[in-house]
């Protein structure tokens, strides 16, 4: 085994192209790795001494999630890792990296982390302590069998999670049908002309692209209102210097799944707070990503998120007119009808962003409350079914981890 290494101390900055390495930080991965379509940042400066190769294993060394692990499997793009991780590069002739990775999902490993971490200030475990952890190592043939069984359990879990995601990501077609609207015709023309009388405010060709005009024509056939006339944005901010806690719950843009609009938070040490960690969010807020808004990173926050801190890369909708139901508003904002308008009103080339004043100009279909409630009922039904599928997936995964531990340590884990 190579000597374990601490990560880079570089700052995280927006990643403009795929030639820039992904910057893997402790906030990027959870207990099951990094989600598909995760939006990575890159590092400035890039230090290739911290490059990741296939089967490198990262351990989080500090913070509320100290001890969590990430196995680097996706090598389609270059990647380096950040300072609050420790990289282990294992000798595959003695131990399979996936075997060690699955060991770190067991209860016995969790108990070791709880016992060894130093809780003063913020929890942390150093490189030498990770090197000294005792891991049962059966023959490679046995490791291979155990890994294959865990891979199968993990695959079944992902299938159920994908089914849950599909229930929410397919709401767009349902919404259009319920509103009695057709999907806009595809029009990708790069060369087009418009009359001077059709120019209002913006002169850039992107804004007047034919595909966006198709959306405008569709919206002209139904009752609408501008988003700015329906909502008000929160200005509540977090003062880092007044926070006496050692950590805070942070929502960055990559914490919202574009496919489903579901959010998660990461616990981050206060002293490592990103400069963009400023927006206080509350129960029932709707947060809208201002960076690449057309991706759909728009979340309706439950009570779990009350008091979290969000990136300034979000607009925080707090006050909503009685003309629209909040659940309906979340659903329609995530529809292509609205997302295409957000793209139209964005600027910035490879990294488009929209400002709040342009977001306010997005036109929202506003049907009668009865139709809105019909949409909301469908959304809630799909959310409930998605929760059921996720519960099944998590239950099966917990049983698999328990089985793995029993194979190593016996029916009664140490």
């Amino acid at each position: 085994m190579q000597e374990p290494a601490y990560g880079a101390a570089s700052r995280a900055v927006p990643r403009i192209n795929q030639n820039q390495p992904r910057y893997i930080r402790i906030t990027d991965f959870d207990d099951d790795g990094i989600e598909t379509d995760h939006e990575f940042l890159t590092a400035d400066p890039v230090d290739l001494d911290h490059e990741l190769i296939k089967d490198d294993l990262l351990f989080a060394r500090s913070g509320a999630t100290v001890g969590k692990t990430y196995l680097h499997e996706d090598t389609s793009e270059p990647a380096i890792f950040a300072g609050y991780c420790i990289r282990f590069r294992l000798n595959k002739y003695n131990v399979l990296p996936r075997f060690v990775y699955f060991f770190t999902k067991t209860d016995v490993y969790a108990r070791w982390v709880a016992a060894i971490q130093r809780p003063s200030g913020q929890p942390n475990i150093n490189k030498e302590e990770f090197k000294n952890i005792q891991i049962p190592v059966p023959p490679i043939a046995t490791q291979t069998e155990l890994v294959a069984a865990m891979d199968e359990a993990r695959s079944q879990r992902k299938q159920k999670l994908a089914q849950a995601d599909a229930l929410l990501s397919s709401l767009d077609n349902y919404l259009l049908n319920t509103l009695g609207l057709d999907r806009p015709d595809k029009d990708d023309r790069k060369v087009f002309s418009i009359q001077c009388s059709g120019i209002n405010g913006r002169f850039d060709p992107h804004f007047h692209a034919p595909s966006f005009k198709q959306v405008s024509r569709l919206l002209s056939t139904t009752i609408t209102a501008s988003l700015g006339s329906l909502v008000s944005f929160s200005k509540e901010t977090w003062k880092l210097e007044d926070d006496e806690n050692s950590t805070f719950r942070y929502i960055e843009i990559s914490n919202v799944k574009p496919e489903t609009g579901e959010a998660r938070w990461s616990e981050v040490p206060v002293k490592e707070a990103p400069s963009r960690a400023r927006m206080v969010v509350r129960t029932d807020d709707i947060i809208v990503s201002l960076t690449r808004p057309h991706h759909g990173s728009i979340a309706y926050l439950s009570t779990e998120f009350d008091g979290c801190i969000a990136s300034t890369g979000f607009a925080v909708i707090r006050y909503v007119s009685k003309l629209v139901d909040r659940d309906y508003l979340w659903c329609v904002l995530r529809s292509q009808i609205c997302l295409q308008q957000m793209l139209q009103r964005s600027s910035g080339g490879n990294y488009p962003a929209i400002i709040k004043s342009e977001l306010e100009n997005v036109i929202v279909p506003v049907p009668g409350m009865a139709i809105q409630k019909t949409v909301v009922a469908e959304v809630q039904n799909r959310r409930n079914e998605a929760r059921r599928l996720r519960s099944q997936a998590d239950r099966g995964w917990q049983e698999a981890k328990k089985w793995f531990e029993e194979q190593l340590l016996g029916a009664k884990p140490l």
Side-chain angles (χ1 to χ4, degrees), residues 268-286:
V268 176
V270 170
K271 69 178 184 179
E272 299 169 30
S275 60
R276 293 165 68 90
R278 290 292 179 268
M279 306 300 295
V280 179
V281 295
R282 302 295 179 188
T283 302
D284 290 334
D285 282 350
I286 297 174

Side-chain angles (χ1 to χ4, degrees), residues 25-35 68-70 101 105 157 264:
R25 305 159 299 154
I26 59 174
T27 54
D28 288 316
F29 59 91
D30 58 22
D31 197 47
D32 195 33
I34 298 175
E35 293 180 338
K68 74 174 178 177
T69 56
Y70 164 72
Y101 174 72
K105 306 306 171 185
R157 176 176 184 264
R264 63 180 177 86

Side-chain angles (χ1 to χ4, degrees), residues 340-353:
Q340 285 301 303
Q341 292 182 72
M342 294 180 199
L343 176 59
Q344 178 187 24
R345 295 184 175 280
S346 296
S347 56
N350 291 332
Y351 214 76

Side-chain angles (χ1 to χ4, degrees), residues 133-185:
I133 184 173
Q134 298 296 307
I135 301 177
V137 181
I140 288 291
T142 303
Q143 293 181 44
T144 302
E145 292 176 2
L146 293 174
V147 166
M150 292 297 285
D151 280 340
E152 176 61 25
R154 191 183 187 195
S155 175
Q156 291 179 9
R157 176 176 184 264
K158 287 187 174 182
Q159 286 177 17
K160 288 189 179 296
L161 293 178
Q163 291 173 22
D165 288 351
L167 285 168
L168 299 178
S169 61
S170 61
L171 276 169
D172 200 47
N173 288 335
Y174 170 80
L175 179 65
L176 287 174
N177 291 335
T178 305
L179 295 179
L181 300 175
D182 296 323
R183 181 172 290 278
D185 293 332

